[in-house]
Amino acid sequence: NGGDGTDHAWGGNYMMMGGSVKGGQILGKYPDDITDGGPLTLGRGRMIPTTPWDSPFSGIASWLGIGTGGIQEVCPNLYRFNSSYLISAEDMFTELRPTGSVMPSAYSSSTPSHVESTLPSIYP
């Protein structure tokens, strides 16, 4: 499209699951007023998001071991927001990855793994 993706949406909700996820919490800020006259309402059901897209993904990237040198590649607009908008890995996860641990993508293999699926196939 000609809008560089900005015509699709500005914000959304994310749900995380997993053993190290610090559950039972909502991160970010829910708008105080979601009526048509609210300060973040644009009309026709559109709202200005209160938490930048980069915020949860910067915390996830940090947990995965992406350092400050690589975070701008993962979250290129992060510099546009002050730290009060960011969600840290410590806020999202109960266990942090040990410093210097190898990221999963660092493991290489010359042959792909093969695991049989238990799901039905659309092919006979």
Side-chain angles (χ1 to χ4, degrees):
N1 67 48
D4 293 329
T6 59
D7 58 335
H8 295 292
W10 283 352
N13 301 306
Y14 308 99
M15 184 183 330
M16 291 179 50
M17 294 174 252
S20 294
V21 173
K22 191 184 292 184
Q25 60 180 343
I26 296 174
L27 301 174
K29 184 177 182 299
Y30 192 81
D32 294 325
D33 184 354
I34 60 171
T35 65
D36 287 340
L40 299 175
T41 305
L42 298 174
R44 299 186 309 159
R46 297 174 299 158
M47 302 285 298
I48 298 172
T50 58
T51 306
W53 179 93
D54 295 70
S55 184
F57 290 101
S58 66
I60 293 168
S62 174
W63 183 78
L64 289 172
I66 305 294
T68 54
I71 197 70
Q72 289 301 321
E73 189 171 339
V74 176
C75 301
N77 293 309
L78 198 60
Y79 73 93
R80 298 177 188 264
F81 304 99
N82 69 45
S83 62
S84 68
Y85 288 98
L86 304 182
I87 301 172
S88 71
E90 290 82 7
D91 292 333
M92 302 170 85
F93 300 98
T94 59
E95 299 174 19
L96 299 180
R97 293 174 55 90
T99 305
S101 64
V102 178
M103 292 180 287
S105 60
Y107 294 107
S108 62
S109 173
S110 59
T111 59
S113 61
H114 180 73
V115 177
E116 290 292 329
S117 173
T118 58
L119 300 174
S121 174
I122 59 170
Y123 302 106

